[in-house]
Amino acid sequence: GFLAALFCIGAGITVLQVAMNPIITTLGPIETSHSRLTFAQAFNSIGVFLMVYGGATFLLGDSQPIDAETASEAQIQAYRVAEGSSIGTAYMWLGVLMLAIAAVFWMFRSALDQAKAEDVKLEGTWGLLTHNRRVQHGALCLFTYVGAEVAIGSNLIAYLGEPSVMGLDLKAAGKLVAIYWLGALIGRLLGGFILRLAKPGRVLAAFAGGAISLIILSAVTTGAVSGWALILVGFCNSLMFPTIFSLGTEGLGEQTPQGSGIMCTAIVGGAIVPYLFGTVADISGNN
């Protein structure tokens, strides 16, 4: 049931991304669309930072995982009930908040009347993906970027808890994961201005190079340097999604909705890459 609920959340977020990203890019001159979308994405990072930090503070608390091999069945069941109860309460209040936000958007829905499409066409979507090199590269970049971002973010608590890295408990590591997403927030706020001064492609290449360099640094070092290098990747990730999205859909004209759908479908990398990451970790014997 919990996985089914997460699936519904993911589907809803995708619909929101498909609808809103093209609207944001068309709210002003095409030359500043990259900057505008980057600034708008900063509000995503605000939500992620607050929720991750809140989760680390109130959900993880002093919770410690139990050893399933030595614990009795009753202890395991009690642990699952306690952990599930705290998560369920948090999601219940989150659902109430989402309903309130949806109600506000419904009341002011007329403000977006000018953004409604006269005729939504699905024809040509496959042809756009198979023949438009810009769309192909954009989708591939989004697939790999989102996959890398999710793989790092979802494994960062365990990584920071490694004795060879920082040896932190769950609560302390969770708060540092929030810093990872805070870096994305800061980067997007700054990026809204940077992208008005420099070409988006060059800015994207610079931030991607920074992310790769920090990952390599984390891999070849130990201790706090290794941990903080990976945390700072969040800052370099900040401009990736909005810049790739706007570059990938640039110049599509009437086919922008189809291009937007293709780009958002590429987010599936966030499901596939972490699975491959976990498989490699299992094979190599890492926790």
Coordinates of all heavy atoms in Angstrom, one line a residue, residues 49 148-154 156 175-185 228 230-235 237:
F49 N 14.5 20.7 1.0 CA 15.3 21.0 2.2 C 14.5 20.9 3.5 O 14.9 20.3 4.5 CB 16.0 22.4 2.1 CG 16.6 22.8 3.3 CD1 17.8 22.2 3.8 CD2 16.1 23.9 4.0 CE1 18.4 22.7 5.0 CE2 16.7 24.3 5.2 CZ 17.8 23.7 5.7
A148 N 21.6 10.1 -11.2 CA 22.7 10.3 -10.3 C 22.3 11.1 -9.1 O 22.7 10.8 -8.0 CB 23.8 11.1 -11.1
E149 N 21.4 12.1 -9.2 CA 21.0 12.9 -8.1 C 20.3 12.1 -7.1 O 20.5 12.2 -5.9 CB 20.1 14.1 -8.6 CG 19.7 15.0 -7.4 CD 18.8 16.1 -7.9 OE1 17.7 15.8 -8.6 OE2 19.1 17.3 -7.7
V150 N 19.4 11.3 -7.5 CA 18.6 10.4 -6.6 C 19.5 9.3 -6.0 O 19.3 9.0 -4.8 CB 17.4 9.8 -7.4 CG1 16.7 8.8 -6.5 CG2 16.4 10.9 -7.9
A151 N 20.4 8.8 -6.8 CA 21.2 7.7 -6.2 C 22.1 8.3 -5.1 O 22.3 7.6 -4.1 CB 22.1 7.1 -7.4
I152 N 22.6 9.5 -5.3 CA 23.5 10.1 -4.3 C 22.6 10.4 -3.1 O 23.0 10.1 -1.9 CB 24.2 11.3 -4.8 CG1 25.2 11.0 -5.9 CG2 24.9 12.1 -3.7 CD1 25.8 12.1 -6.6
G153 N 21.5 11.1 -3.3 CA 20.7 11.6 -2.2 C 20.1 10.5 -1.4 O 20.0 10.6 -0.1
S154 N 19.7 9.4 -2.0 CA 19.1 8.3 -1.3 C 20.1 7.4 -0.5 O 19.7 6.6 0.4 CB 18.3 7.4 -2.2 OG 19.1 6.9 -3.3
L156 N 23.1 8.8 0.7 CA 24.0 9.6 1.4 C 24.0 9.4 2.9 O 25.1 9.5 3.6 CB 23.7 11.1 1.1 CG 24.7 12.2 1.4 CD1 26.1 11.8 0.8 CD2 24.3 13.5 0.9
K175 N 20.5 15.2 8.8 CA 20.6 16.7 8.7 C 21.6 17.2 7.7 O 21.4 18.2 7.1 CB 20.9 17.2 10.1 CG 19.8 17.1 11.1 CD 20.1 17.7 12.5 CE 19.0 17.6 13.4 NZ 19.3 18.2 14.8
L176 N 22.7 16.4 7.5 CA 23.6 16.8 6.5 C 23.1 16.5 5.1 O 23.5 17.2 4.2 CB 25.0 16.0 6.7 CG 25.8 16.5 7.9 CD1 27.1 15.7 7.9 CD2 26.1 18.0 7.8
V177 N 22.2 15.5 5.0 CA 21.6 15.3 3.7 C 20.7 16.5 3.3 O 20.6 16.8 2.1 CB 20.7 14.0 3.7 CG1 19.9 13.8 2.4 CG2 21.6 12.8 3.9
A178 N 20.1 17.1 4.3 CA 19.3 18.3 4.1 C 20.2 19.4 3.5 O 19.8 20.2 2.7 CB 18.7 18.8 5.4
I179 N 21.5 19.5 3.9 CA 22.5 20.4 3.4 C 22.7 20.2 1.9 O 22.9 21.1 1.1 CB 23.8 20.4 4.2 CG1 23.5 20.7 5.7 CG2 24.8 21.4 3.7 CD1 22.9 22.0 6.0
Y180 N 22.7 18.9 1.6 CA 22.9 18.5 0.1 C 21.8 19.2 -0.7 O 22.1 19.7 -1.8 CB 22.8 17.0 0.1 CG 22.7 16.4 -1.3 CD1 23.9 16.3 -2.1 CD2 21.5 15.9 -1.9 CE1 23.8 15.7 -3.4 CE2 21.5 15.4 -3.1 CZ 22.6 15.2 -3.9 OH 22.5 14.7 -5.1
W181 N 20.6 19.2 -0.2 CA 19.5 19.8 -1.0 C 19.5 21.3 -0.8 O 19.0 22.0 -1.7 CB 18.1 19.2 -0.5 CG 18.0 17.7 -0.8 CD1 18.1 16.7 0.1 CD2 17.9 17.1 -2.1 NE1 18.0 15.5 -0.6 CE2 17.9 15.7 -1.9 CE3 17.8 17.6 -3.4 CZ2 17.7 14.8 -2.9 CZ3 17.6 16.7 -4.4 CH2 17.6 15.3 -4.2
L182 N 20.0 21.8 0.3 CA 20.1 23.2 0.5 C 21.1 23.8 -0.5 O 20.9 24.9 -1.0 CB 20.6 23.5 1.9 CG 20.8 25.0 2.3 CD1 19.5 25.8 2.2 CD2 21.4 25.2 3.6
G183 N 22.1 23.0 -0.8 CA 23.0 23.5 -1.9 C 22.3 23.7 -3.2 O 22.6 24.6 -4.0
A184 N 21.4 22.8 -3.5 CA 20.6 22.9 -4.7 C 19.8 24.2 -4.7 O 19.6 24.9 -5.7 CB 19.7 21.7 -4.9
L185 N 19.2 24.5 -3.6 CA 18.4 25.7 -3.4 C 19.3 27.0 -3.7 O 18.9 27.9 -4.4 CB 17.8 25.8 -2.0 CG 17.2 27.1 -1.5 CD1 16.1 27.6 -2.5 CD2 16.8 27.0 -0.1
W228 N 31.9 15.7 2.8 CA 31.5 17.0 2.4 C 31.7 17.2 0.9 O 30.9 18.0 0.3 CB 32.4 18.1 3.1 CG 31.8 18.4 4.5 CD1 32.3 18.0 5.7 CD2 30.6 19.1 4.8 NE1 31.5 18.4 6.7 CE2 30.5 19.1 6.2 CE3 29.7 19.7 4.0 CZ2 29.4 19.7 6.8 CZ3 28.6 20.4 4.6 CH2 28.5 20.3 6.0
L230 N 30.9 15.0 -1.3 CA 29.6 14.5 -1.9 C 28.4 15.3 -1.6 O 27.5 15.5 -2.4 CB 29.4 13.0 -1.4 CG 28.6 12.1 -2.4 CD1 29.2 12.1 -3.7 CD2 28.4 10.8 -1.8
I231 N 28.4 15.9 -0.4 CA 27.3 16.8 0.0 C 27.3 18.0 -0.9 O 26.2 18.5 -1.4 CB 27.5 17.3 1.5 CG1 27.3 16.1 2.4 CG2 26.5 18.4 1.8 CD1 27.6 16.4 3.8
L232 N 28.5 18.6 -1.3 CA 28.5 19.8 -2.1 C 28.2 19.5 -3.6 O 27.9 20.4 -4.4 CB 30.0 20.3 -2.1 CG 30.4 21.0 -0.7 CD1 31.8 21.4 -0.8 CD2 29.5 22.1 -0.4
V233 N 28.0 18.2 -4.0 CA 27.5 17.9 -5.3 C 26.1 18.5 -5.5 O 25.7 18.8 -6.6 CB 27.5 16.4 -5.5 CG1 26.8 16.0 -6.8 CG2 29.0 15.9 -5.6
G234 N 25.4 18.6 -4.4 CA 24.0 19.2 -4.5 C 24.0 20.6 -5.1 O 23.1 20.9 -5.8
F235 N 25.0 21.4 -4.7 CA 25.1 22.7 -5.3 C 25.4 22.6 -6.8 O 24.7 23.4 -7.6 CB 26.3 23.5 -4.6 CG 26.5 24.8 -5.2 CD1 25.7 25.9 -4.9 CD2 27.5 25.0 -6.2 CE1 26.0 27.2 -5.4 CE2 27.7 26.3 -6.7 CZ 27.0 27.4 -6.4
N237 N 24.5 20.3 -8.8 CA 23.3 19.7 -9.4 C 22.2 20.8 -9.6 O 21.3 20.6 -10.4 CB 22.7 18.6 -8.5 CG 23.5 17.3 -8.7 OD1 24.3 17.1 -9.6 ND2 23.3 16.4 -7.7

